[in-house]
Amino acid sequence: MMKKKEHKECMSALLPIRDTLDVIGGKWKILILISIWEGNKHFREIERSIPKLSTKVLSKELKDMEENKLITRTVLNGFPVRTEYAPTEYSKTLKKVILELYNWGVNHRKKIFA
Amino acid sequence: MMKKKEHKECMSALLPIRDTLDVIGGKWKILILISIWEGNKHFREIERSIPKLSTKVLSKELKDMEENKLITRTVLNGFPVRTEYAPTEYSKTLKKVILELYNWGVNHRKKIFA
């Protein structure tokens, strides 16, 4: 059995993993990020690019992503006022993580269906 | 906006990412895997090593992990009959993925709290 101290260390080592999963986990986050990376800028564009994604959920996820510095939200003057979303340079640091998830998943399908 | 075909390709490219997140996502899976990697073999040991983990959830997660070939479950003859869980060699392929999640999370804390 893990000893108390080791266990506590172990738990604190897990926090960053939890953080990352909070940022990219769930059903929509990676989809939305990819949609924005692909060049979709406006709320309705992003919404239309992802089937079954509700307005309410997209709105919440975009706020989270802005807080996590993955996207910027710019309100453009004009009539009508338009809001644009753009990926940050920082968001690109997730590409390596997503690639690892992708590669493992591809291999896992082979393993499970072998 | 993404075109239909691109979009379909995009969605199918996302399946392996979803698979990986299904295998390691959620509140308990990585904790349980690490507990078993650390040498905990018996159900009660694993259960005790993770605060707030319920018997029912652990039981379900262990079954999932066995199906995903991350652990083996061996029933040992004797009295009382004992069941041992052990990590597979294959489970170690997740270490790189978990390390990426960890590294990104460490950096993200710095970024967010900077």
Side-chain angles (χ1 to χ4, degrees), chain B:
Chain B
M1 209 185 329
M2 283 186 268
K3 288 176 199 70
K4 286 268 156 138
K5 197 183 168 195
E6 283 167 7
H7 183 70
K8 207 172 159 190
E9 281 164 12
C10 176
M11 287 291 172
S12 77
L14 288 168
L15 283 178
I17 298 172
R18 179 87 2 244
D19 288 347
T20 305
L21 289 174
D22 284 346
V23 172
I24 61 168
K27 198 169 174 183
W28 303 110
K29 290 173 205 287
I30 292 181
L31 286 172
I32 296 166
L33 191 57
I34 290 174
S35 176
I36 296 171
W37 274 339
E38 291 281 323
N40 292 310
K41 287 180 182 157
H42 303 292
F43 192 95
R44 298 290 165 210
E45 273 180 347
I46 301 164
E47 191 178 20
R48 274 192 296 257
S49 75
I50 303 169
K52 296 178 189 166
L53 172 60
S54 76
T55 304
K56 196 178 158 192
V57 170
L58 177 57
S59 181
K60 189 199 163 293
E61 297 288 23
L62 288 170
K63 261 182 209 139
D64 279 1
M65 290 166 69
E66 203 187 338
E67 276 170 21
N68 280 313
K69 303 189 181 181
L70 301 180
I71 58 170
T72 55
R73 180 177 177 277
T74 312
V75 179
L76 301 171
N77 286 324
F79 185 81
V81 169
R82 284 179 73 88
T83 304
E84 278 192 4
Y85 296 93
T88 59
E89 272 301 301
Y90 176 61
S91 75
K92 293 178 190 169
T93 60
L94 272 176
K95 289 193 176 179
K96 203 178 156 199
V97 181
I98 293 172
L99 188 67
E100 283 296 334
L101 294 172
Y102 175 81
N103 288 339
W104 195 86
V106 167
N107 187 54
H108 189 59
R109 297 215 141 198
K110 287 184 202 152
K111 177 88 182 170
I112 293 299
F113 297 116

Side-chain angles (χ1 to χ4, degrees), chain A residues 78-103:
Chain A
F79 184 82
V81 169
R82 284 177 75 90
T83 305
E84 278 191 5
Y85 296 92
T88 59
E89 273 300 303
Y90 176 60
S91 75
K92 293 179 190 166
T93 60
L94 271 176
K95 288 194 176 177
K96 203 178 156 199
V97 180
I98 294 173
L99 188 67
E100 283 295 334
L101 294 173
Y102 175 81
N103 287 339

Side-chain angles (χ1 to χ4, degrees), chain A:
Chain A
M1 210 187 320
M2 283 186 267
K3 287 174 201 75
K4 286 267 155 139
K5 198 186 167 193
E6 283 168 7
H7 183 69
K8 207 173 160 189
E9 282 164 13
C10 177
M11 286 293 171
S12 77
L14 289 167
L15 283 178
I17 298 172
R18 177 83 10 238
D19 288 346
T20 306
L21 289 174
D22 284 345
V23 173
I24 61 170
K27 197 168 174 184
W28 304 109
K29 289 170 204 291
I30 290 180
L31 287 171
I32 296 166
L33 191 57
I34 290 174
S35 176
I36 295 171
W37 276 338
E38 292 280 324
N40 293 309
K41 286 180 184 155
H42 302 293
F43 192 96
R44 298 291 164 210
E45 274 180 346
I46 301 164
E47 190 178 22
R48 275 193 295 258
S49 76
I50 303 169
K52 295 180 190 167
L53 173 58
S54 76
T55 304
K56 195 178 158 193
V57 170
L58 177 56
S59 182
K60 191 202 161 293
E61 296 288 24
L62 287 171
K63 262 183 208 137
D64 280 0
M65 288 165 71
E66 204 188 339
E67 276 170 21
N68 281 314
K69 303 189 179 180
L70 300 180
I71 58 170
T72 56
R73 181 177 177 276
T74 312
V75 179
L76 301 171
N77 287 323
F79 184 82
V81 169
R82 284 177 75 90
T83 305
E84 278 191 5
Y85 296 92
T88 59
E89 273 300 303
Y90 176 60
S91 75
K92 293 179 190 166
T93 60
L94 271 176
K95 288 194 176 177
K96 203 178 156 199
V97 180
I98 294 173
L99 188 67
E100 283 295 334
L101 294 173
Y102 175 81
N103 287 339
W104 195 86
V106 168
N107 187 54
H108 189 59
R109 296 215 142 196
K110 287 184 199 151
K111 177 86 183 174
I112 293 300
F113 297 117

